[in-house]
Amino acid sequence: MITASALGSFALIVGLLTLTPGLDTALILRTAALGHRSCAWGVVLGIQTGTLAWGVFSSLGITAVLTASHLAYTLLRWAGAVYLVWMGSRILASTVRRRARADLAQDDAAHEPAADGSFGSGWRRGALTNLLNPKVGAFYMAVLPQFIPAGAPHVTTGTLLAGMHILLGLLWSGVLIAFARVLRGTLRRPSARRTLDRISGTVIAGFGVHVALGD
């Protein structure tokens, strides 16, 4: 059975990882800042669905295959890189189009397409972002086995540990969404929206390039 000390150590590691600003933070903040609360929670739950999947995959040893097979890891890495660069580029391109229609920017910011604001679209975006990130799988494969005691059921214990990561992620995501909603009025101004999108798009696309060039 996993000890309280091991749980505390794992919580500290994934807690620091959760608090570190990165791709997930940018995605959640941007979605929440646009006023799409349902979509923002869709993104959050999609990300956590991916976290759960990676935890289970690691417990089953599937991510060991990705670690051992250079081809499998490379294919997943490039799929994730292409998706992230595509998503980041779309966000950046939207700032150019919005700048060209500056006279309609205020109306454009206030009337985001319904499809972009749905829970389902947010969940898909969050899940794909997480599942196509091989670095999450590599992290779980490297860290998770260290906290599973000898003789303990791997899948059950691994899922428990992933559940702790998910809980911390949900709590922090709630803080991010609340913060974005407080600043919603400011962040939805056309100039602020363009700045937010440029930062978010650059972070997401840049992360995709980093994944592509990573070892």
Side-chain angles (χ1 to χ4, degrees), residues 108-120:
D108 178 58
H111 296 88
E112 194 75 10
D116 289 342
S118 69
F119 178 88

Side-chain angles (χ1 to χ4, degrees), residues 2-18:
I2 190 168
T3 64
S5 175
L7 278 174
S9 298
F10 182 79
L12 177 61
I13 292 173
V14 296
L16 292 173
L17 181 66
T18 299

Side-chain angles (χ1 to χ4, degrees), residues 47-138:
I47 290 170
Q48 302 313 326
T49 299
T51 299
L52 177 61
W54 279 120
V56 173
F57 290 163
S58 298
S59 302
L60 292 172
I62 293 176
T63 49
V65 176
L66 291 176
T67 304
S69 172
H70 181 71
L71 177 60
Y73 183 85
T74 299
L75 289 174
L76 181 61
R77 178 163 61 87
W78 277 102
V82 169
Y83 174 73
L84 292 173
V85 170
W86 170 78
M87 182 165 59
S89 299
R90 283 191 64 192
I91 294 173
L92 289 172
S94 72
T95 67
V96 176
R97 292 194 301 269
R98 198 173 297 114
R99 182 74 178 184
R101 315 191 297 265
D103 58 324
L104 299 177
Q106 184 68 45
D107 189 59
D108 178 58
H111 296 88
E112 194 75 10
D116 289 342
S118 69
F119 178 88
S121 66
W123 184 89
R124 287 191 298 272
R125 197 176 309 149
L128 283 173
T129 298
N130 193 288
L131 289 172
L132 290 176
N133 186 355
K135 293 184 181 296
V136 179

Side-chain angles (χ1 to χ4, degrees), residues 105-199:
Q106 184 68 45
D107 189 59
D108 178 58
H111 296 88
E112 194 75 10
D116 289 342
S118 69
F119 178 88
S121 66
W123 184 89
R124 287 191 298 272
R125 197 176 309 149
L128 283 173
T129 298
N130 193 288
L131 289 172
L132 290 176
N133 186 355
K135 293 184 181 296
V136 179
F139 168 81
Y140 263 86
M141 194 59 213
V143 173
L144 207 64
Q146 312 303 319
F147 293 92
I148 298 179
H154 283 202
V155 176
T156 302
T157 308
T159 302
L160 173 64
L161 292 170
M164 175 173 289
H165 190 182
I166 290 169
L167 177 60
L168 293 174
L170 289 173
L171 292 173
W172 179 237
S173 296
V175 172
L176 291 176
I177 291 174
F179 172 75
R181 287 184 64 82
V182 168
L183 298 179
R184 177 181 168 185
T186 300
L187 294 175
R188 292 191 71 188
R189 293 173 184 168
S191 58
R193 166 88 178 269
R194 285 193 298 270
T195 300
L196 176 64
D197 282 356
R198 285 168 184 163
I199 294 173

